[in-house]
Short mmCIF file of all heavy atoms in Angstrom, two decimals:
data_model
loop_
_atom_site.label_atom_id
_atom_site.label_comp_id
_atom_site.label_asym_id
_atom_site.label_seq_id
_atom_site.Cartn_x
_atom_site.Cartn_y
_atom_site.Cartn_z
N ASN A 1 -46.60 -29.15 27.60
CA ASN A 1 -46.36 -27.71 27.64
C ASN A 1 -46.23 -27.08 26.25
O ASN A 1 -46.10 -25.86 26.14
CB ASN A 1 -45.11 -27.39 28.47
CG ASN A 1 -43.87 -28.14 27.99
OD1 ASN A 1 -43.89 -28.82 26.95
ND2 ASN A 1 -42.80 -28.04 28.75
N SER A 2 -46.25 -27.88 25.19
CA SER A 2 -46.19 -27.34 23.83
C SER A 2 -47.56 -27.26 23.17
O SER A 2 -47.71 -26.59 22.14
CB SER A 2 -45.26 -28.21 22.96
OG SER A 2 -45.80 -29.50 22.77
N ILE A 3 -48.57 -27.93 23.73
CA ILE A 3 -49.88 -28.01 23.10
C ILE A 3 -50.55 -26.65 22.93
O ILE A 3 -51.17 -26.39 21.88
CB ILE A 3 -50.80 -28.98 23.89
CG1 ILE A 3 -50.19 -30.40 23.87
CG2 ILE A 3 -52.20 -29.01 23.31
CD1 ILE A 3 -50.02 -30.96 22.49
N PRO A 4 -50.48 -25.72 23.92
CA PRO A 4 -51.17 -24.42 23.72
C PRO A 4 -50.67 -23.62 22.53
O PRO A 4 -51.40 -22.75 22.04
CB PRO A 4 -50.89 -23.69 25.04
CG PRO A 4 -50.59 -24.75 26.03
CD PRO A 4 -49.89 -25.82 25.27
N TYR A 5 -49.46 -23.89 22.06
CA TYR A 5 -48.87 -23.08 20.99
C TYR A 5 -48.98 -23.73 19.62
O TYR A 5 -48.54 -23.14 18.63
CB TYR A 5 -47.40 -22.80 21.30
CG TYR A 5 -47.18 -22.22 22.68
CD1 TYR A 5 -46.63 -23.00 23.70
CD2 TYR A 5 -47.52 -20.91 22.97
CE1 TYR A 5 -46.43 -22.49 24.96
CE2 TYR A 5 -47.32 -20.39 24.23
CZ TYR A 5 -46.77 -21.18 25.22
OH TYR A 5 -46.58 -20.67 26.48
N LEU A 6 -49.53 -24.95 19.54
CA LEU A 6 -49.58 -25.68 18.27
C LEU A 6 -51.02 -25.82 17.80
O LEU A 6 -51.95 -25.89 18.60
CB LEU A 6 -48.95 -27.06 18.41
CG LEU A 6 -47.46 -27.08 18.77
CD1 LEU A 6 -46.99 -28.51 18.99
CD2 LEU A 6 -46.63 -26.42 17.68
N LYS A 7 -51.18 -25.88 16.49
CA LYS A 7 -52.50 -26.09 15.90
C LYS A 7 -52.34 -26.86 14.60
O LYS A 7 -51.23 -26.97 14.05
CB LYS A 7 -53.19 -24.75 15.65
CG LYS A 7 -52.52 -23.85 14.63
CD LYS A 7 -53.25 -22.56 14.48
CE LYS A 7 -52.64 -21.67 13.39
NZ LYS A 7 -51.22 -21.35 13.65
N ILE A 8 -53.45 -27.37 14.12
CA ILE A 8 -53.45 -28.10 12.85
C ILE A 8 -53.08 -27.14 11.72
O ILE A 8 -53.60 -26.03 11.65
CB ILE A 8 -54.83 -28.74 12.60
CG1 ILE A 8 -55.12 -29.78 13.68
CG2 ILE A 8 -54.90 -29.36 11.21
CD1 ILE A 8 -56.53 -30.34 13.62
N GLY A 9 -52.18 -27.59 10.85
CA GLY A 9 -51.70 -26.76 9.76
C GLY A 9 -50.33 -26.15 9.99
O GLY A 9 -49.75 -25.58 9.05
N ASP A 10 -49.81 -26.23 11.23
CA ASP A 10 -48.48 -25.69 11.51
C ASP A 10 -47.41 -26.49 10.77
O ASP A 10 -47.51 -27.71 10.62
CB ASP A 10 -48.21 -25.71 13.01
CG ASP A 10 -48.96 -24.62 13.75
OD1 ASP A 10 -49.56 -23.75 13.08
OD2 ASP A 10 -48.95 -24.62 15.00
N SER A 11 -46.36 -25.79 10.35
CA SER A 11 -45.25 -26.42 9.66
C SER A 11 -44.14 -26.79 10.64
O SER A 11 -43.93 -26.09 11.64
CB SER A 11 -44.69 -25.49 8.58
OG SER A 11 -45.67 -25.20 7.59
N ILE A 12 -43.44 -27.89 10.36
CA ILE A 12 -42.32 -28.33 11.17
C ILE A 12 -41.17 -28.72 10.26
O ILE A 12 -41.36 -28.87 9.04
CB ILE A 12 -42.69 -29.52 12.08
CG1 ILE A 12 -43.00 -30.75 11.22
CG2 ILE A 12 -43.87 -29.19 12.97
CD1 ILE A 12 -43.12 -32.02 12.02
N ASN A 13 -39.98 -28.85 10.83
CA ASN A 13 -38.80 -29.33 10.11
C ASN A 13 -38.47 -30.74 10.59
O ASN A 13 -38.47 -31.01 11.79
CB ASN A 13 -37.61 -28.40 10.33
CG ASN A 13 -37.84 -27.03 9.72
OD1 ASN A 13 -38.66 -26.85 8.83
ND2 ASN A 13 -37.11 -26.03 10.20
N ILE A 14 -38.18 -31.62 9.64
CA ILE A 14 -37.94 -33.03 9.95
C ILE A 14 -36.49 -33.38 9.61
O ILE A 14 -36.00 -33.04 8.53
CB ILE A 14 -38.90 -33.95 9.17
CG1 ILE A 14 -40.36 -33.55 9.44
CG2 ILE A 14 -38.68 -35.41 9.55
CD1 ILE A 14 -41.34 -34.29 8.56
N ARG A 15 -35.82 -34.06 10.55
CA ARG A 15 -34.48 -34.60 10.33
C ARG A 15 -34.51 -36.10 10.58
O ARG A 15 -34.80 -36.54 11.69
CB ARG A 15 -33.46 -33.92 11.25
CG ARG A 15 -33.34 -32.42 11.08
CD ARG A 15 -32.15 -31.89 11.85
NE ARG A 15 -32.31 -32.06 13.28
CZ ARG A 15 -32.70 -31.11 14.12
NH1 ARG A 15 -32.96 -29.90 13.65
NH2 ARG A 15 -32.83 -31.32 15.40
N TYR A 16 -34.25 -36.88 9.55
CA TYR A 16 -34.27 -38.33 9.66
C TYR A 16 -32.93 -38.85 10.17
O TYR A 16 -31.86 -38.39 9.74
CB TYR A 16 -34.60 -38.97 8.31
CG TYR A 16 -35.93 -38.55 7.75
CD1 TYR A 16 -36.02 -37.66 6.69
CD2 TYR A 16 -37.11 -39.03 8.30
CE1 TYR A 16 -37.23 -37.27 6.17
CE2 TYR A 16 -38.34 -38.64 7.80
CZ TYR A 16 -38.40 -37.76 6.73
OH TYR A 16 -39.62 -37.37 6.24
N ASP A 17 -33.01 -39.81 11.11
CA ASP A 17 -31.78 -40.37 11.67
C ASP A 17 -30.95 -41.09 10.61
O ASP A 17 -29.71 -41.07 10.68
CB ASP A 17 -32.13 -41.35 12.80
CG ASP A 17 -32.73 -40.64 14.01
OD1 ASP A 17 -32.82 -39.39 13.99
OD2 ASP A 17 -33.11 -41.32 14.99
N ALA A 18 -31.61 -41.72 9.65
CA ALA A 18 -30.89 -42.46 8.61
C ALA A 18 -30.27 -41.55 7.56
O ALA A 18 -29.38 -41.99 6.82
CB ALA A 18 -31.83 -43.46 7.93
N PHE A 19 -30.71 -40.31 7.50
CA PHE A 19 -30.19 -39.35 6.53
C PHE A 19 -29.73 -38.11 7.28
O PHE A 19 -30.53 -37.19 7.53
CB PHE A 19 -31.27 -38.99 5.49
CG PHE A 19 -31.94 -40.19 4.88
CD1 PHE A 19 -33.30 -40.40 5.08
CD2 PHE A 19 -31.23 -41.11 4.15
CE1 PHE A 19 -33.93 -41.50 4.53
CE2 PHE A 19 -31.85 -42.21 3.60
CZ PHE A 19 -33.21 -42.42 3.79
N PRO A 20 -28.45 -38.07 7.68
CA PRO A 20 -27.95 -36.96 8.51
C PRO A 20 -28.25 -35.60 7.91
O PRO A 20 -28.12 -35.39 6.69
CB PRO A 20 -26.44 -37.23 8.58
CG PRO A 20 -26.32 -38.72 8.34
CD PRO A 20 -27.40 -39.05 7.36
N ALA A 21 -28.65 -34.67 8.79
CA ALA A 21 -29.06 -33.35 8.32
C ALA A 21 -27.91 -32.57 7.71
O ALA A 21 -28.13 -31.71 6.86
CB ALA A 21 -29.67 -32.56 9.49
N ASP A 22 -26.65 -32.85 8.12
CA ASP A 22 -25.52 -32.10 7.56
C ASP A 22 -25.29 -32.43 6.09
O ASP A 22 -24.65 -31.64 5.38
CB ASP A 22 -24.26 -32.37 8.37
CG ASP A 22 -23.93 -33.85 8.45
OD1 ASP A 22 -24.81 -34.69 8.15
OD2 ASP A 22 -22.78 -34.18 8.80
N LYS A 23 -25.81 -33.56 5.61
CA LYS A 23 -25.67 -33.93 4.21
C LYS A 23 -26.97 -33.79 3.43
O LYS A 23 -26.98 -33.34 2.29
CB LYS A 23 -25.14 -35.36 4.07
CG LYS A 23 -23.70 -35.54 4.51
CD LYS A 23 -23.22 -36.95 4.25
CE LYS A 23 -21.76 -37.12 4.63
NZ LYS A 23 -20.87 -36.36 3.76
N PHE A 24 -28.08 -34.20 4.06
CA PHE A 24 -29.36 -34.22 3.37
C PHE A 24 -30.26 -33.03 3.72
O PHE A 24 -31.26 -32.80 3.06
CB PHE A 24 -30.10 -35.53 3.67
CG PHE A 24 -29.38 -36.76 3.21
CD1 PHE A 24 -28.48 -37.42 4.03
CD2 PHE A 24 -29.59 -37.26 1.94
CE1 PHE A 24 -27.82 -38.56 3.61
CE2 PHE A 24 -28.94 -38.40 1.51
CZ PHE A 24 -28.04 -39.05 2.35
N GLY A 25 -29.91 -32.31 4.77
CA GLY A 25 -30.71 -31.17 5.16
C GLY A 25 -31.97 -31.57 5.91
O GLY A 25 -32.17 -32.72 6.31
N GLN A 26 -32.86 -30.60 6.09
CA GLN A 26 -34.14 -30.82 6.76
C GLN A 26 -35.26 -30.88 5.74
O GLN A 26 -35.14 -30.36 4.63
CB GLN A 26 -34.41 -29.70 7.78
CG GLN A 26 -33.34 -29.57 8.85
CD GLN A 26 -33.69 -28.54 9.88
OE1 GLN A 26 -34.05 -28.85 11.02
NE2 GLN A 26 -33.56 -27.27 9.52
#
């Protein structure tokens, strides 16, 4: 259900499990 709204080149935010977002951010 997310495919119609996404395309190549879109930006995303990544949060790594090993580096908590509250300390390292996105």
Side-chain angles (χ1 to χ4, degrees):
N1 55 7
S2 66
I3 298 301
Y5 308 106
L6 298 175
K7 65 181 183 301
I8 296 173
D10 285 352
S11 298
I12 67 170
N13 295 338
I14 305 172
R15 300 190 295 260
Y16 301 106
D17 292 357
F19 310 116
D22 57 344
K23 291 184 177 293
F24 298 90
Q26 301 184 106

